[in-house]
Amino acid sequence: MSGLLVLAATPIGRPEDASARLRDELAGADVVAAEDTRRLRRLAGELGVEVAGRVVSYFEGNEAGRTAGLVEDLVAGRRVLLVTDAGMPSVSDPGYRLVAAAVEAGVRVTSVPGPSAVLTALAVSGLPVDRFCFEGFLPRKAGERARRLRELAQEPRTLVLFESPHRTEASLLALAEAFGADRPAAVCRELTKTHEEVVRGPLGELATWAAAGVRGEVTLVVSGRTGPAVGHVDPGDHDTLRARVASEEETGLTRKEAVRAVAESTGVPRREVYDAAHRVAHGPSRPDLDRPDPTQE
C-alpha cells in the first residue's frame, strides 16, 4: 500500500497560529521535507514537538533532484510531510513538482490547511474579495515587468502579488504607470507578526510612501479595473496605434508580439492594430491587399 503525501501550512508569523493537526503531523511523519531544516527545528521547538521522522531539505535549488527519492518513500508506504518556511506549500514555494510526481505515481495527497499570506492580505485589504487572482512575484527586469503589467491592466479581478521589500517601490511605480496612479491598492507588511502594517491608498500615493523604504515580507493587493481600460485608444486613431506598436518594437518585440501587446493595453482589436501599424511600411491599407496577417498565426 502506498503512503501519503501531506502538505502542511505553517504559520506566516506567530507560532501560536499553528494548528493542532500540524503538531500531530510533525510528530508522526516518517519523513519531513522542509524548505529550511533549521527553521523547521526552530518551529518544532516553539511548538513543543519532537520530530521523530527523517528530516530532509526540499527547496528550490534541490527539489528537482530530491523529488524522485521522496516519491520512492511514498510508494514504499511512508507518510511524507512537506512544509515550507511560511504558509501553504506550492503557493510560490516548493511543492508543485512533488505533488505532480506523487499523483502520477498513484499516491494520495492531502493537506493540513492553515495560514496563507494570499488570503490574509486579501481579507484585510478592504478591496473586493468576491473575485481575485494571484500573480506571485512580478518579473525583476523592468521591461518584462512592464509587459506583464500591460497584460494585467484590464483584469477586472482583485490582484494579489508577492514582493520583496527592496523592490516594493519600483513595483508600485510600475503598477501606477500601467494601471493608473488612482487605482486603489494596499501594501500588507509583516502579516500576523508584531510589526504588522497595512497601508491603503491609490497606487501613486503608495509608491511615494514606499520611497522611504519598506521592511519585512510584503504582499500587494490591487483593485481590478472597474472603468474604461487604462490606455484606451480609439480604433480610428491610427497615428497613436502606430506609435504604440513602434514603441513596443523598440523594446525588442516582434511585430506580431507588439501588435498583441498594444491590442491588450488599448482594447483595440488586434486586426485593427495590425492594419494601423502596417501603414507605416506600406502606406494606406487596402481590404483586397494579399498579405500575411500575423494576428491569425
Side-chain angles (χ1 to χ4, degrees):
M1 180 179 295
S2 65
L4 177 68
L5 174 60
V6 183
L7 310 179
T10 55
I12 60 175
R14 301 173 184 269
E16 55 265 38
D17 289 338
S19 67
R21 276 195 63 202
L22 175 59
R23 290 179 169 87
D24 291 342
E25 292 292 345
L26 285 170
D30 298 306
V31 181
V32 179
E35 185 175 12
D36 186 323
T37 57
R38 291 168 299 180
R39 289 195 182 191
L40 167 67
R41 298 292 188 189
R42 185 163 60 247
L43 175 62
E46 291 170 333
L47 300 180
V49 175
E50 181 179 352
V51 179
R54 187 174 88 251
V55 176
V56 300
S57 63
Y58 190 77
F59 58 96
E60 183 180 1
N62 74 355
E63 61 177 321
R66 187 145 283 176
T67 295
L70 291 173
V71 171
E72 289 178 4
D73 284 321
L74 290 164
V75 172
R78 297 184 180 90
R79 191 180 190 91
V80 176
L81 176 68
L82 176 62
V83 293
T84 56
D85 292 346
M88 179 61 69
S90 294
V91 181
S92 279
D93 276 330
Y96 166 75
R97 184 179 275 108
L98 180 56
V99 171
V103 170
E104 185 176 357
V107 174
R108 190 161 71 92
V109 180
T110 189
S111 71
V112 175
S116 166
V118 175
L119 295 180
T120 301
L122 183 68
V124 303
S125 69
L127 297 172
V129 299
D130 53 335
R131 299 178 66 216
F132 72 94
C133 59
F134 174 58
E135 282 292 320
F137 286 90
L138 291 172
R140 294 188 179 189
K141 294 182 178 179
E144 294 177 5
R145 182 172 58 219
R147 284 193 286 274
R148 172 77 63 81
L149 292 178
R150 281 196 293 270
E151 295 172 358
L152 295 171
Q154 298 187 64
E155 172 59 62
R157 297 172 294 179
T158 298
L159 299 171
V160 182
L161 308 108
F162 287 161
E163 194 49 274
S164 64
H166 65 276
R167 288 200 303 268
T168 298
E169 179 191 5
S171 288
L172 288 169
L173 287 170
L175 282 160
E177 181 178 356
F179 294 0
D182 294 333
R183 181 82 69 92
V187 179
C188 304
R189 189 181 69 84
E190 294 290 88
L191 288 170
T192 78
K193 299 178 182 178
T194 302
H195 300 291
E196 175 181 284
E197 181 179 25
V198 180
V199 183
R200 306 173 180 87
L203 284 169
E205 292 182 10
L206 291 176
T208 300
W209 167 83
V214 179
R215 293 183 178 181
E217 299 193 5
V218 175
T219 304
L220 305 177
V221 186
V222 184
S223 176
R225 179 178 62 82
T226 57
V230 175
H232 175 76
V233 175
D234 189 293
D237 188 352
H238 297 145
D239 290 340
T240 298
L241 291 173
R242 285 198 298 272
R244 293 281 184 92
V245 171
S247 177
E248 293 291 348
E249 289 180 315
E250 289 175 0
T251 69
L253 296 184
T254 65
R255 172 61 61 86
K256 178 182 177 181
E257 292 168 337
V259 166
R260 181 185 297 112
V262 172
E264 291 173 348
S265 65
T266 62
V268 177
R270 270 195 276 175
R271 181 56 184 250
E272 295 184 33
V273 176
Y274 173 74
D275 284 344
H278 194 268
R279 288 182 171 86
V280 176
H282 301 280
S285 63
R286 291 166 39 200
D288 60 340
L289 188 61
D290 184 17
R291 65 178 185 270
D293 181 354
T295 67
Q296 303 301 312
E297 294 179 7

